[in-house]
Amino acid sequence: MAVSLFQKFQEFVKTLAKSPTFARDPRKLQYEADINRLFLCTSYNRLGKNAEETDIEEIIDMASKASFSDQEKLVQENVHSQIKSFCMSMDQILIDTEKRNEPLESPQKSNAASRRSGLSFAIGRNSSPTNHPDVHETRPLRRAEVSQKVKDLMGYTLEIKPSQIPHKEAGQGLFLNGEADVGTVVAFYPGVIYSPAYYRFIPGYPRVDAKNPYLITRYDGTVINAQPWGFGDETREVWDALTVPKVSPSVQGDEKGSDRFWRLLSKPLEEKRVDYGGDVIERRNPFAFAHYANHPAKGVAPNVLICPYDFPLTEKDMRVYIPNVVFGNLADTNMKRFGNFWFKYGSSKNMGSDVPLLRTLVLVATRALCNEEVLLNYRLSNLKHRPEWYTPVDEEEDKRRWS
């Protein structure tokens, strides 16, 4: 049945891609096609394994008639529902209900790693945390034990081991251990979130990707740096940022004009404290490994799709399981693109909502998965030199993504 859904979807997307309505903005077209596909997959997943053929037809009919904003909203709801179930499973594994509201220890004792991790690595600060929230007691389980218990409850977990892709740069790969149906959220993309207002503070700016393969960009311009997360940790701890580093000197060459613009935009941030108090994050999260997913080898189709997920910070009980922290002020996350530049607009609220959002990414399965490597289409830009190992999955998608 999932195969039938996939085939019908492929036909639908090909028709959509030829529509003259979107010819002027191919990048937007690709984003809308991705959301359309995510709507189909996550809606099918929400129906459950007892879905009938008529249910699939109804989903496809909705995908062809519902507005893009409605589909985008439904994707968020579908993904949030799954993540909420995951958080409840993690609570079941880690939380002793009798001690849920009792703080175990002060932040100073929680673990030494919290004094040199997360954003402190990202911005190169050695300051000790202050005014941190308490880290509440959890069961003393190792990360591997948590992972196995998640598999027992949910039917799958993730593993990091040598990739099966036949090229020397493949390195470590992400593997799904167990079974997951089409439309399942299989992984979080962890790390530090940078809105366009804070691009200049990404380590290595302006050539941020020169030595960091763990950067990813959402359609709205939000960048996530997973390098500080690495493999996670064995504890629940506080991730924080105390100060913003000074703006680096002007760069040379083609980016000189852009540098002047960003110096102007960033001026109010110099020598000022970041409005960020720190969040308690569960570092044993067994799904926080999307940054280890590899691009498929030639002739092999990807089996997951990137999905933007806006986590509502009002969901305080779930927050600990979202493996991301924001660099800078949350109020600066709303930016709008004009040509090559980004400008802040409106407030930090989303689409008229009063709910503050954490702009993250997750990986969603595009077919049923069973004990296999997780493969993601990287869609590298065709305007730059691509690595020798990279074979486009769909050259037209790459062109639209980077148009």
Side-chain angles (χ1 to χ4, degrees), residues 1 44-56 181:
M1 196 169 294
Y44 173 82
N45 183 276
R46 199 163 187 175
L47 286 175
K49 295 184 178 181
N50 295 323
E52 302 291 337
E53 187 71 26
T54 53
D55 296 323
I56 294 177
D181 203 1

Side-chain angles (χ1 to χ4, degrees), residues 66-314:
S67 68
F68 169 71
S69 60
D70 284 344
Q71 291 187 49
E72 196 173 30
K73 181 180 178 181
L74 286 166
V75 167
Q76 292 295 312
E77 291 178 359
N78 292 342
V79 168
H80 184 72
S81 176
Q82 289 192 49
I83 291 177
K84 189 170 186 176
S85 295
F86 163 71
C87 293
M88 291 173 66
S89 295
M90 289 290 284
D91 272 353
Q92 184 177 337
I93 292 166
L94 291 169
I95 304 298
D96 185 335
T97 54
E98 294 181 358
K99 298 181 179 180
R100 180 164 188 142
N101 297 318
E102 297 178 13
L104 171 66
E105 54 192 355
S106 67
Q108 289 77 13
K109 294 180 180 179
S110 60
N111 63 72
S114 67
R115 293 193 293 273
R116 191 74 180 104
S117 63
L119 282 173
S120 63
F121 277 120
I123 64 174
R125 295 296 186 187
N126 294 302
S127 303
S128 296
T130 59
N131 300 320
H132 278 166
D134 288 338
V135 179
H136 293 274
E137 182 174 6
T138 59
R139 293 189 175 101
L141 298 173
R142 305 287 291 177
R143 187 174 42 174
E145 294 175 293
V146 174
S147 183
Q148 181 58 50
K149 289 181 179 295
V150 165
K151 182 184 177 184
D152 293 341
L153 284 175
M154 302 187 64
Y156 67 98
T157 190
L158 297 176
E159 296 178 345
I160 308 298
K161 55 187 180 181
S163 175
Q164 296 176 348
I165 297 174
H167 67 74
K168 61 182 181 181
E169 294 184 47
Q172 297 289 89
L174 178 65
F175 290 80
L176 186 131
N177 178 357
E179 298 183 12
D181 203 1
V182 61
T184 299
V185 175
V186 297
F188 296 89
Y189 203 96
V192 185
I193 300 170
Y194 294 85
S195 73
Y198 292 94
Y199 279 173
R200 285 183 50 76
F201 303 119
I202 301 175
Y205 179 88
R207 296 175 178 84
V208 295
D209 59 347
K211 295 182 179 180
N212 185 359
Y214 301 116
L215 290 169
I216 196 166
T217 307
R218 292 185 12 150
Y219 174 80
D220 62 8
T222 301
V223 173
I224 303 177
N225 178 16
Q227 196 170 50
W229 182 268
F231 290 100
D233 210 330
E234 298 288 351
T235 61
R236 179 172 291 192
E237 65 180 27
V238 177
W239 259 18
D240 67 356
L242 298 179
T243 56
V244 172
K246 293 182 179 180
V247 177
S248 58
S250 295
V251 294
Q252 302 297 317
D254 295 339
E255 288 159 336
K256 195 171 183 180
S258 176
D259 179 75
R260 285 196 298 269
F261 171 80
W262 279 110
R263 186 165 62 249
L264 177 64
L265 183 64
S266 302
K267 190 173 181 180
L269 305 176
E270 295 181 25
E271 303 291 349
K272 290 190 177 181
R273 189 180 182 87
V274 175
D275 183 16
Y276 177 78
D279 287 306
V280 177
I281 305 294
E282 180 52 70
R283 299 270 280 154
R284 290 168 290 184
N285 187 334
F287 289 173
F289 295 115
H291 53 307
Y292 285 102
N294 274 321
H295 182 80
K298 184 176 182 179
V300 178
N303 51 27
V304 294
L305 186 63
I306 279 285
C307 176
Y309 170 55
D310 296 336
F311 172 72
L313 287 167
T314 49

Side-chain angles (χ1 to χ4, degrees), residues 342-390:
W342 294 84
F343 295 87
K344 187 166 71 171
Y345 70 97
S347 67
S348 62
K349 311 306 181 186
N350 181 55
M351 303 292 286
S353 170
D354 291 333
V355 178
L357 301 172
L358 203 62
R359 302 181 189 280
T360 72
L361 288 169
V362 296
L363 301 186
V364 171
T366 54
R367 61 170 175 78
L369 304 179
C370 179
N371 297 320
E372 59 187 284
E373 185 165 3
V374 176
L375 301 172
L376 171 68
N377 182 3
Y378 281 8
R379 289 180 181 162
L380 297 184
S381 172
N382 56 359
L383 302 177
K384 298 180 180 180
H385 177 70
R386 292 165 167 170
E388 292 182 3
W389 52 261
Y390 182 79

